Amino acid sequence: VQLQASGGGLVQAGASLRLSCTDSDRYSVGWFRQAPGKEREFVAAIRWDGRGTYYADSVKGRFTISRDNAKNTVYLQMNNLKPEDTAVYYCAAGPKNSGESYYTGNRYNVWGQGTLVTVSS
């Protein structure tokens, strides 16, 4: 598996972006982000079959994770972006079944390169 994350950019507060993570078929997928000077943090995750989604409290109601397995792609729709959402966003893939929580990076064993999201105020 080689993951490709894309869709980042520079937007103003309140705008929307959609990130894509390709080559993610048949895997659980998580999105994480890392802001300058901060630790990596969980953003959202989705089960391999799309029947379960998980979100960080900071993005609930604004971000939506979804997947199209026919296109081997997981999406992260980000609405009402805030300056504090500025970070490099990474997608990661892990096995269908795992004893690890969806919320932790330990669940995922393949990581894509990041895509930068910058939100100006």
Side-chain angles (χ1 to χ4, degrees):
V1 175
Q2 288 187 329
L3 302 178
Q4 299 280 342
S6 61
L10 171 62
V11 297
Q12 291 188 329
S16 298
L17 280 175
R18 188 177 76 164
L19 305 185
S20 299
C21 178
T22 58
D23 293 332
S24 55
D25 186 28
R26 305 187 310 279
Y27 296 90
S28 299
V29 171
W31 284 97
F32 292 77
R33 67 187 181 187
Q34 188 166 20
K38 294 187 177 181
E39 293 187 352
R40 184 182 67 194
E41 65 174 357
F42 170 79
V43 176
I46 189 167
R47 275 174 49 110
W48 67 273
D49 57 2
R51 294 183 177 181
T53 56
Y54 311 87
Y55 297 95
D57 288 343
S58 59
V59 306
K60 279 181 182 176
R62 299 189 298 122
F63 290 12
T64 302
I65 190 169
S66 62
R67 69 188 307 152
D68 184 340
N69 282 348
K71 296 182 179 180
N72 291 349
T73 301
V74 169
Y75 303 100
L76 184 67
Q77 178 67 43
M78 306 186 296
N79 297 330
N80 190 23
L81 283 161
K82 302 177 180 181
E84 51 263 42
D85 295 319
T86 294
V88 177
Y89 284 70
Y90 300 89
C91 63
K96 294 180 184 180
N97 300 304
S98 169
E100 299 284 352
S101 165
Y102 281 93
Y103 296 86
T104 176
N106 291 339
R107 182 185 179 89
Y108 309 96
N109 51 13
V110 179
W111 292 78
Q113 91 290 355
T115 185
L116 177 62
V117 173
T118 304
V119 184
S120 63
S121 58

